[in-house]
Amino acid sequence: MSEPISIDIWSDIACPWCYIGKRNLEKGLAATAGDDDAPQVRITFHSFELSPDTPVDFDGDEIDFLAGHKGMPREQVEQMLGQVTSVAAAAGLEYRFDLLQHTNTVKAHELLHFAKAKGLQHEMEERLMSAYFTEGRHVGRVDDLVALAEEVGLDAAEARSALESSAYLDAVRADQAQARAYGINGVPFFVIDGQYGVSGAQPPEAFENVIRDVWAQKSAAS
């Protein structure tokens, strides 16, 4: 029996392409689930901050942020967000940039590491991304994060203590240091079994193919 394929994903919960990439990976994995020798995988999410200088309470909407942060004309930003919304819809996600509350994501990353320690990282990742992109929830303040943690079954008091003490900040920084060591400067970025790098929100078929290939190699080797 081959060891599961490790899939390490560097992402930011405020990255629209990361949520799309997550969905496409899930669809690719679902397509392989019916194989006679279905690939086994172990997925781990890693922290990457796209805009670490963002304030927790940003005054303005997503268009204001991108126009100011990227120096892009508002019309161009609106067109870009429209395109991303269409791609997200094709992946089964209803993005609501009109509701989105732009914020600093470092505490959300700390919460993901806390959730990982409790065996609920995948559930927490999904909940944070859904809250941010489709529900207009705030994901930068401790109170809001604790409420979301509770929704996936984490202990509220433990989550609050972890966030207020920055207990997992070192783990976030370690992920970011590993990203720099790998030369990752954009997300999502997928490291498949420690040897293949896949950049960007690839279509489901791309994930399906690489996972089948890697699994075949592992099976042959074992």
Side-chain angles (χ1 to χ4, degrees):
M1 185 69 180
S2 299
E3 278 286 306
I5 298 169
S6 64
I7 303 179
D8 292 281
I9 308 171
W10 271 262
S11 67
D12 192 347
I13 60 106
C15 161
W17 294 106
C18 292
Y19 200 6
I20 293 167
K22 179 177 181 292
R23 269 295 177 278
N24 288 350
L25 171 64
E26 290 164 355
K27 289 179 180 177
L29 288 171
T32 69
D35 293 1
D36 289 338
D37 181 21
Q40 303 300 305
V41 302
R42 182 176 58 247
I43 298 171
T44 305
F45 291 95
H46 298 275
S47 303
F48 192 101
E49 287 180 273
L50 283 173
S51 304
D53 57 342
T54 305
V56 172
D57 292 300
F58 178 76
D59 185 17
D61 60 16
E62 186 70 353
I63 297 173
D64 294 325
F65 175 79
L66 289 172
H69 196 74
K70 304 283 189 184
M72 299 165 62
R74 291 183 66 86
E75 297 76 17
Q76 187 180 347
V77 173
E78 289 174 358
Q79 183 181 22
M80 183 180 72
L81 293 181
Q83 291 170 344
V84 174
T85 300
S86 296
V87 176
L93 300 168
E94 185 185 355
Y95 279 7
R96 292 294 305 272
F97 286 109
D98 56 321
L99 301 178
L100 188 149
Q101 298 187 63
H102 201 83
T103 187
N104 189 290
T105 60
V106 70
K107 284 294 174 189
H109 286 296
E110 291 177 36
L111 179 58
L112 284 168
H113 279 280
F114 169 73
K116 178 184 175 185
K118 301 296 183 180
L120 289 170
Q121 190 193 40
H122 293 192
E123 293 83 353
M124 196 72 253
E125 182 86 18
E126 177 65 29
R127 189 67 197 95
L128 285 166
M129 287 181 157
S130 176
Y132 186 73
F133 283 109
T134 74
E135 301 166 39
R137 299 274 292 271
H138 201 294
V139 298
R141 296 184 296 241
V142 170
D143 286 351
D144 299 271
L145 290 169
V146 168
L148 290 168
E150 207 169 11
E151 287 180 27
V152 303
L154 291 165
D155 182 87
E158 286 186 12
R160 181 177 297 280
S161 176
L163 292 173
E164 290 180 344
S165 67
S166 297
Y168 291 90
L169 182 58
D170 285 348
V172 173
R173 299 302 182 222
D175 276 354
Q176 293 168 331
Q178 183 64 69
R180 289 192 295 273
Y182 278 150
I184 299 170
N185 51 27
V187 287
F189 195 92
F190 304 80
V191 177
I192 313 293
D193 225 35
Q195 54 185 325
Y196 300 103
V198 178
S199 180
Q202 300 295 326
E205 300 76 25
F207 289 116
E208 181 183 342
N209 292 336
V210 71
I211 289 161
R212 281 200 175 110
D213 288 347
V214 172
W215 187 247
Q217 292 171 26
K218 289 174 77 75
S219 298
S222 64

